[in-house]
Amino acid sequence: MAALAMISHIGSKGAAARFSTTFIPSSSRPSRLHDIDMQRAPCRIFPSISTASAAAATTTTRRHFSLDNNTNMEDILPNKTGDRNGLIRYQILADDGHPLRLYSRSPTTTDQSSSAMNNSSSSQKKRSILLLHGRTWSSQPVFDLRTSNNDDKQQSTLQSLAELGFDAYALDLRGFGETPRDEGGYTTPNRCVEDVKCAIDWIARRHDENYDNYGDGSNETLTAAESSIAMSTKPALLGWSQGALVAQMYAQKHGPSTLSDLVLFGTIYDPRVIYPRKPLFDESGRLISGGKDAVKPPAPEVVNTVAASLEDFTLPGTICDEAALEFSSVALAVDTVKAAWDELHEFNVCNPALVHVPTLVIVGAQDPYVQWDAQRELFERLGHDDKSMCVLPACDHAAHILKARKMFIRSVVGFLLRKDGF
């Protein structure tokens, strides 16, 4: 049984209180931390849409367009799962030239009520949001789970947000899904943050031609109405699990000038966890870490397993067999080999006090991978007055794809549209 409570936060300048509805479970809370593997220049942007016929794997039709100096570029990234009933694929190039995969969905209906909910005035543009996956699986199974072609069970986070009028995107970080490993072979937090910056910039420019003016500090010269519109057209950023740590790092470094809102979902942040640095030298005296001249050993290639793909589902009855098996099927199709995380000590910079963006902290009440005192400290120390915390009852780590997923969507959308009277 869960008790309904209200959390309020009052700004330091005596501003009106911000309320958030939070479910606080009466059962004992878990204490086990996630078992984690212990291991800027302007972006060049070449987006493309790729569709492929699942029935004819050798035939791929691509449509290309560009927002960068009218330059077209062939989509060189793999399509590992076919069309998937209209999954939209984009290719963007990071600042170092590495290609990154972005996914999106289009709404299946033209219901004006959903679009009107996301546009409280004619002067406002549609809201956009970028989703970041966790440490093991691509955005395809994580944010686009579907057990039917039309997603009639509303299991896809991308589709659900699109139906509510959002321009929702999901990124594959390096070594995940359809974004290949780079030459070094490793996925590192700092590199992820800069790749997220490229994706955020691309999304923002795609949806707001004035984004570059908003991002250079010129908001101070805008009228109050113009400033409100500028903020509402900046993308929001949602990170899940270890992806929430990447999202937090991004918000600390780039947030105020580039983000409207931050959502930390199932974050494994814990101030007591200090990720150790790796030795600088190997046994032969060769530099293997800590500098541009370091020569790292080849990145390991560990095969993913069915058991690993199902380990986040821990509460009986919260996900149907069909959905769990579909998650496993797509996960193993796009991530046959585990991404090789490295330099995890870079996560040690995570400090809630340095987050100066409106933030929602959302977590499943039975999430076995979070520390509850760490969640409370994270929320209390956030460096922005506009913040909310939501605990989802009867949910574990993957609340967004469980039977209670609509509650997750409503919580996220309610926070993003809190100033629009939603």
Side-chain angles (χ1 to χ4, degrees), residues 61-199:
T61 303
R62 292 187 171 96
R63 179 161 61 89
H64 307 282
F65 63 94
S66 174
L67 301 179
D68 187 14
N69 299 325
N70 297 316
T71 303
N72 292 326
M73 180 178 180
E74 175 73 9
D75 186 339
I76 63 173
L77 295 177
N79 181 328
K80 295 184 176 182
T81 56
D83 178 70
R84 295 198 69 226
N85 199 44
L87 178 64
I88 301 171
R89 290 169 163 90
Y90 300 94
Q91 173 183 280
I92 66 174
L93 294 187
D95 55 302
D96 63 351
H98 191 74
L100 307 170
R101 175 66 83 202
L102 273 175
Y103 305 99
S104 187
R105 285 278 181 185
S106 297
T108 58
T109 67
T110 57
D111 181 8
Q112 296 301 312
S113 62
S114 63
S115 60
M117 180 181 67
N118 198 358
N119 291 273
S120 59
S121 71
S122 60
S123 63
Q124 285 187 316
K125 302 179 181 180
K126 288 178 66 176
R127 297 291 302 277
S128 57
I129 184 170
L130 176 64
L131 313 177
L132 303 182
H133 58 72
R135 73 180 176 99
T136 308
W137 306 109
S138 155
S139 283
Q140 280 203 55
V142 170
F143 294 121
D144 194 45
L145 179 65
R146 304 164 75 88
T147 56
S148 63
N149 286 338
N150 61 359
D151 191 35
D152 54 358
K153 295 183 180 180
Q154 297 180 324
Q155 293 163 315
S156 167
T157 305
L158 278 176
Q159 191 69 62
S160 295
L161 291 171
E163 301 297 351
L164 291 173
F166 286 84
D167 289 308
Y169 301 87
L171 175 66
D172 274 349
L173 298 172
R174 300 187 187 206
F176 289 89
E178 296 180 5
T179 296
R181 296 181 176 188
D182 58 23
E183 289 184 358
Y186 291 93
T187 304
T188 65
N190 283 344
R191 182 65 261 177
C192 289
V193 167
E194 296 314 306
D195 289 347
V196 171
K197 179 67 164 60
C198 292

Side-chain angles (χ1 to χ4, degrees), residues 280-394:
L280 294 177
F281 302 95
D282 64 12
E283 57 187 15
S284 68
R286 182 180 58 175
L287 183 67
I288 60 172
S289 178
K292 63 180 181 179
D293 297 325
V295 179
K296 294 184 178 180
E301 296 196 2
V302 179
V303 176
N304 271 316
T305 65
V306 173
S309 68
L310 298 172
E311 67 181 3
D312 285 331
F313 308 124
T314 62
L315 292 179
T318 58
I319 187 169
C320 66
D321 293 348
E322 181 185 25
L325 293 176
E326 179 64 16
F327 181 96
S328 176
S329 175
V330 176
L332 294 175
V334 295
D335 288 307
T336 56
V337 175
K338 290 180 181 290
W341 283 94
D342 198 20
E343 310 291 353
L344 292 188
H345 67 272
E346 293 171 355
F347 281 134
N348 293 339
V349 302
C350 286
N351 180 352
L354 300 180
V355 175
H356 301 295
V357 179
T359 302
L360 169 66
V361 178
I362 185 167
V363 62
Q366 301 297 323
D367 190 334
Y369 301 144
V370 304
Q371 295 286 350
W372 283 95
D373 53 351
Q375 295 284 311
R376 287 190 291 268
E377 180 174 337
L378 167 67
F379 176 73
E380 292 169 359
R381 293 185 57 217
L382 285 168
H384 199 285
D385 291 338
D386 189 355
K387 58 186 179 181
S388 297
M389 182 173 184
C390 182
V391 180
L392 303 175

